[in-house]
């Protein structure tokens, strides 16, 4: 593998987690499992090359999801990583096994995205204790109340 700078753009961490989004955690875990040398850039979605978090800068290409779902974003980054030759975790699977993996990933995305959004935004404990504190803690006064509702 050639030496290049790979940058993962992700939300900052909070409460002991490396990042606030499941997609950023999944993308970072895939990069670590593939033993790829990369840098993490903690930022907001407006300061990434694509305007979406997570995003992966491969040097010659930038990968991010067009679908706003958390797990779809991670899957797009993992696919771009495999296509670039930097690391393919599923390269050893036979085509039927790859199809089964895609089916399970799609099932999980369809069910867990809804559950994650419900827990994060609708349950009082999820929003009040975690998301509001995590998104609002690093911002000045008026934004600390507005931004958690817009993320």
């Amino acid at each position: 593998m050639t030496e290049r700078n790979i940058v993962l753009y992700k939300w900052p961490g909070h409460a002991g987690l490396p990042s606030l989004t499941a997609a950023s955690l999944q993308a970072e875990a895939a990069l670590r499992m593939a033993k790829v040398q990369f840098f993490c850039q903690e930022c907001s979605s407006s300061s990434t090359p694509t305007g979406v978090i997570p995003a992966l800068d491969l040097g010659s290409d930038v990968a991010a999801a067009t679908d706003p779902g958390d797990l779809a974003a991670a899957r797009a980054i993992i696919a771009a990583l495999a296509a670039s030759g930097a690391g393919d975790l599923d390269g050893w699977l036979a085509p039927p096994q790859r199809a089964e993996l895609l089916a399970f990933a799609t099932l999980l995305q369809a069910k867990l995205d809804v559950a994650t959004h419900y827990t994060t935004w609708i349950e009082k404990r999820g929003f009040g204790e975690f998301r509001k504190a995590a998104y609002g803690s690093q911002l000045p006064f008026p934004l600390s109340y507005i931004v958690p509702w817009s993320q």
Side-chain angles (χ1 to χ4, degrees), residues 9-12 42-55 150-151:
Y9 296 93
K10 65 178 189 170
W11 275 107
E42 295 182 347
C43 57
S44 66
S45 58
S46 61
S47 60
T48 67
T50 60
V52 178
I53 287 183
S150 65
Q151 297 300 325

Side-chain angles (χ1 to χ4, degrees), residues 1 6 22 68 73 75 77 81 95 101 106-107 112 122 124 129 141 149:
M1 184 172 68
I6 297 177
R75 194 166 44 176
I77 286 175
L81 184 67
L101 176 66
T106 304
L107 175 68
L112 287 181
I122 297 175
K124 287 186 179 185
E129 291 182 16
F141 164 65
W149 287 102

Side-chain angles (χ1 to χ4, degrees), residues 10-21 24-25 28-29 32 40 42:
K10 65 178 189 170
W11 275 107
H14 184 74
L17 291 174
S19 180
L20 292 176
T21 63
S24 295
L25 293 173
E28 187 172 351
R32 291 183 190 279
C40 286
E42 295 182 347

